[in-house]
Amino acid sequence: MAAQLGVSHGTVRVAYQRLIDEQFAVGAGAAGTRVAEGPSPSSAPLWSSDVPPLPELFHPYGTPPLPFQMGVPWQDAFPFKLWSRVFARAARRAATAPVSYPDPRGDPQLRKEIAAYVGIARGLRCSPAQVFITAGYAGAIGLAVRALQVEGSRALIEDPSFPITRKALDLAGITVTTVPVDAEGLDVASGIRSAQDAALAIVTPGQHAPLGMTMSLTRRLPLLAWARRSDAWIIEDDYLSELQLTGRAAPALASLDHGGRVLHIGSFSKTISPVLRLGFVVAPIELTGRFGDVCACLAPAPALALQGAVAEFLREGHYIRHLRRMKRLYASRRQALLESLAQVRSESLKVEASHRWLGRHCLDNRLSVGRGDRPPRPLVRLGSVASLSMVRPITPVARAPARRDQLGCAYAYIVLQTARRSGAIAPLALSDP
């Protein structure tokens, strides 16, 4: 072959050896070299289309948020310059730190600051050893399900509820039983009757998602008693923390737990930015060892620089000042929208303001716009932009047929300056379907 190709014998040997190394050929010594037997051709497609996850629930990823988009805090009053300096310092510290694997449970300084913060703001006494840093709420729910070993069991969730929670439980093989909510929150007695064998309950007691009521003490105590009696677990989704328009937020459900049955989950997505994808779990003391093992093997904490920046943001008091400023801003914009909606005269539109939710994702006005199973309909025109904001029906987050038919929800706020400059928010007349 060397003579045929006009190359040296060494070049031929190197070529054959490379084919053998890459398993395209098999060397048999004196018997020669033969082509290796490969797998039979597959009928599966070589390429798959890039379909984003859960497109029916979320606006396209990486695009600017819509005026009424769920789950996005407003950014026009965020201290970007301050945050940039804080993040740059944290990035430099991380880059110059000794090269080693960081603590999979999270940066010790951030865990310390979170423990102090939830103690003050949420009434939850815990040590830094009980705090585990996660990749947002999704990472926290995944860590909790794995550490509790409840895959394949039954769980109670609120109806309506956050759709990500329901989907996560389904992916974990957990059977979901939906429980109705009323003005006092989860109907605990109904949930116990419908699923006596449940091993888990996931609730939003601080501010229900998406309806906004706070779970009353007369519901919290029976829920805790059920967990102790049934050896079950409660996951508290405290997604908004203390962010509330009027008065102080109710203490965390975990602050009442003296039996070690409640896991407290928090996130910075709604208070700082969802770009962070940073959350945390406060686990009962007796579970800290297992949670640490799961973190080390399956769910390590996010990048150290990001954690360091949030730790400094908390430590220097910037976080508390930011929350106070945003509360005032959200309250004024919420009032501007309510005044505009009051001008609408239509039997298809009903506004109920409970003075609890706030922000783009959590205005807590329940809008009944025809039937919930029909497509979103135009609601308001934003200033001179003349863009239509769409109200999503409650269908994706509710299971009970009666609730799906009755309610449509909007959670948002409007840029007040833009609205006033163009004659405030111009309501569009709504006609019955």
Side-chain angles (χ1 to χ4, degrees):
M1 179 177 290
Q4 290 176 345
L5 298 176
V7 297
S8 67
H9 290 278
T11 301
V12 173
R13 284 196 297 272
V14 169
Y16 270 98
Q17 189 60 48
R18 182 169 179 176
L19 290 172
I20 292 172
D21 291 342
E22 296 183 5
Q23 300 183 354
F24 290 112
V26 177
T33 302
R34 66 178 185 272
V35 176
E37 294 184 6
S40 57
S42 174
S43 59
L46 298 178
W47 303 97
S48 62
S49 57
D50 186 14
V51 179
L54 306 178
E56 70 280 5
L57 297 177
F58 295 104
H59 184 57
Y61 297 99
T63 57
L66 298 174
F68 279 86
Q69 184 177 335
M70 180 178 176
V72 183
W74 196 250
Q75 294 291 294
D76 63 340
F78 185 77
F80 286 106
K81 292 183 179 180
L82 172 63
W83 173 254
S84 298
R85 292 195 298 269
V86 169
F87 190 82
R89 286 194 293 267
R92 285 194 296 269
R93 288 194 298 267
T96 57
V99 179
S100 63
Y101 286 100
D103 191 333
R105 300 171 298 174
D107 177 38
Q109 290 301 315
L110 178 57
R111 296 166 68 200
K112 176 183 176 181
E113 295 301 329
I114 289 176
Y117 170 74
V118 297
I120 296 172
R122 310 300 294 125
L124 174 55
R125 297 179 60 184
C126 66
S127 68
Q130 296 173 252
V131 179
F132 300 87
I133 310 302
T134 65
Y137 171 76
I141 196 73
L143 172 62
V145 167
R146 286 170 171 150
L148 295 178
Q149 296 181 300
V150 291
E151 296 92 338
S153 62
R154 182 180 295 276
L156 303 176
I157 66 170
E158 300 158 324
D159 187 25
S161 61
F162 186 40
I164 290 294
T165 300
R166 202 162 55 225
K167 184 65 174 179
L169 296 178
D170 180 63
L171 292 173
I174 297 175
T175 302
V176 170
T177 297
T178 57
V179 183
V181 297
D182 55 25
E184 294 188 76
L186 182 78
D187 188 342
V188 178
S190 174
I192 295 175
R193 287 194 303 269
S194 58
Q196 298 183 5
D197 60 339
L200 177 69
I202 302 182
V203 293
T204 53
Q207 298 177 59
H208 175 266
L211 300 183
M213 69 284 290
T214 297
M215 184 183 290
S216 67
L217 185 62
T218 56
R219 295 286 175 82
R220 294 182 181 217
L221 295 179
L223 183 62
L224 292 170
W226 163 79
R228 290 193 297 268
R229 184 174 61 251
S230 304
D231 198 26
W233 302 101
I234 301 171
I235 294 179
E236 176 183 19
D237 177 8
D238 194 43
Y239 64 102
L240 279 182
S241 186
E242 63 169 317
L243 206 56
Q244 182 171 306
L245 282 179
T246 58
R248 288 184 59 86
L253 176 65
S255 67
L256 301 173
D257 177 33
H258 303 296
R261 310 310 301 179
V262 179
L263 285 75
H264 181 88
I265 291 180
S267 168
F268 296 101
S269 295
K270 310 300 187 296
T271 53
I272 299 180
S273 172
V275 174
L276 299 181
R277 282 203 178 276
L278 197 67
F280 59 89
V281 177
V282 180
I285 294 176
E286 60 272 18
L287 293 180
T288 55
R290 178 163 183 82
F291 267 76
D293 292 344
V294 175
C295 285
C297 299
L298 297 172
L304 194 60
L306 179 61
Q307 296 183 64
V310 176
E312 181 177 339
F313 205 66
L314 285 164
R315 182 173 58 252
E316 299 300 324
H318 304 312
Y319 183 69
I320 294 294
R321 287 190 290 272
H322 172 63
L323 288 186
R324 290 172 180 171
R325 183 168 55 251
M326 297 310 288
K327 284 182 182 182
R328 294 191 295 268
L329 180 65
Y330 289 164
S332 63
R333 292 177 173 175
R334 176 180 182 275
Q335 184 60 33
L337 180 58
L338 290 177
E339 291 173 358
S340 178
L341 292 175
Q343 301 173 24
V344 176
R345 296 292 183 265
S346 172
E347 295 182 358
S348 299
L349 177 63
K350 182 180 181 182
V351 181
E352 298 177 15
S354 68
H355 301 287
R356 290 198 181 276
W357 280 15
L358 51 141
R360 180 189 299 273
H361 63 292
C362 48
L363 214 137
D364 195 27
N365 298 299
R366 300 195 287 280
L367 308 180
S368 178
V369 187
R371 290 171 56 89
D373 55 359
R374 295 183 180 174
R377 303 175 55 211
L379 178 64
V380 295
R381 188 181 303 273
L382 302 183
S384 60
V385 179
S387 61
L388 297 182
S389 297
M390 308 303 287
V391 179
R392 286 190 174 273
I394 202 172
T395 303
V397 297
R399 287 295 180 91
R403 193 176 294 279
R404 287 160 66 96
D405 287 347
Q406 292 173 356
L407 294 179
C409 289
Y411 334 96
Y413 63 74
I414 304 301
V415 181
L416 185 61
Q417 293 82 356
T418 301
R420 285 181 173 171
R421 185 168 58 246
S422 57
I425 305 169
L428 299 179
L430 293 173
S431 58
D432 291 330

